[in-house]
Amino acid sequence: MSYRRDHRASRSALLDNFDSIEEGGLRASSSYSHGISDHDNEGAMGSLQDKVSFLKRLTGDIHEEVESHNRMLDRMGNEMDASRGIMSGTMDRFKMVFEKKSNRRTCKLAVYFVVAFFVLYYTFRVLLYFLYG
């Protein structure tokens, strides 16, 4: 019972100085006056209804945004799974190629030619730069 009283007291203390709640003329404090007219009450109810409908639309928009992000993340996850499958297949093919010595020698030869090509290319490029600079 004491907890409820403390909860109400702390809640009213939190809401005492909120000016945004007081737009409709309704004061959210523990010193609520019982002499509010029906017109003021209706105005406050209308204001609260507008705020509630705005919050409802806002939460709906947030929900739609979260759903679209979840769909996007699901698509991205599926694409990553597909690319992982492709990469594992490629790695299996490389393993099969490197299991035989003749295939290894062929790959090494191809790598040597590529490296030699780049070395010659940059060597000629440097020579041409210094000659015709």
Side-chain angles (χ1 to χ4, degrees):
M1 195 76 147
S2 172
Y3 170 73
R4 284 187 180 174
R5 256 186 304 207
D6 293 341
H7 179 69
R8 286 182 192 153
S10 65
R11 186 174 178 189
S12 66
L14 283 174
L15 296 175
D16 272 345
N17 295 325
F18 272 28
D19 292 334
S20 63
I21 293 177
E22 297 175 0
E23 285 178 13
L26 178 66
R27 299 193 76 98
S29 68
S30 60
S31 62
Y32 181 78
S33 113
H34 293 289
I36 293 180
S37 69
D38 286 338
H39 179 69
D40 292 340
N41 225 0
E42 290 295 324
M45 291 283 286
S47 173
L48 287 175
Q49 187 176 12
D50 291 343
K51 290 175 186 177
V52 167
S53 64
F54 171 74
L55 288 174
K56 187 176 180 181
R57 284 192 310 268
L58 182 65
T59 55
D61 292 344
I62 290 171
H63 178 72
E64 289 174 12
E65 189 73 21
V66 167
E67 289 294 323
S68 74
H69 284 226
N70 283 338
R71 283 190 301 272
M72 181 181 64
L73 287 172
D74 287 341
R75 279 194 311 261
M76 191 172 17
N78 292 338
E79 291 170 2
M80 292 298 281
D81 289 341
S83 63
R84 184 178 300 127
I86 291 170
M87 289 300 291
S88 67
T90 305
M91 291 304 294
D92 290 341
R93 288 187 203 111
F94 271 118
K95 286 177 186 175
M96 286 186 339
V97 166
F98 285 111
E99 284 177 353
K100 297 180 182 176
K101 282 190 176 187
S102 63
N103 287 340
R104 253 186 275 163
R105 286 184 194 147
T106 306
C107 287
K108 284 182 183 178
L109 185 63
V111 169
Y112 291 146
F113 277 123
V114 169
V115 169
F117 172 77
F118 279 114
V119 167
L120 287 174
Y121 175 76
Y122 284 113
T123 303
F124 282 122
R125 202 167 162 153
V126 168
L127 284 175
L128 290 174
Y129 176 75
F130 284 121
L131 290 176
Y132 298 110

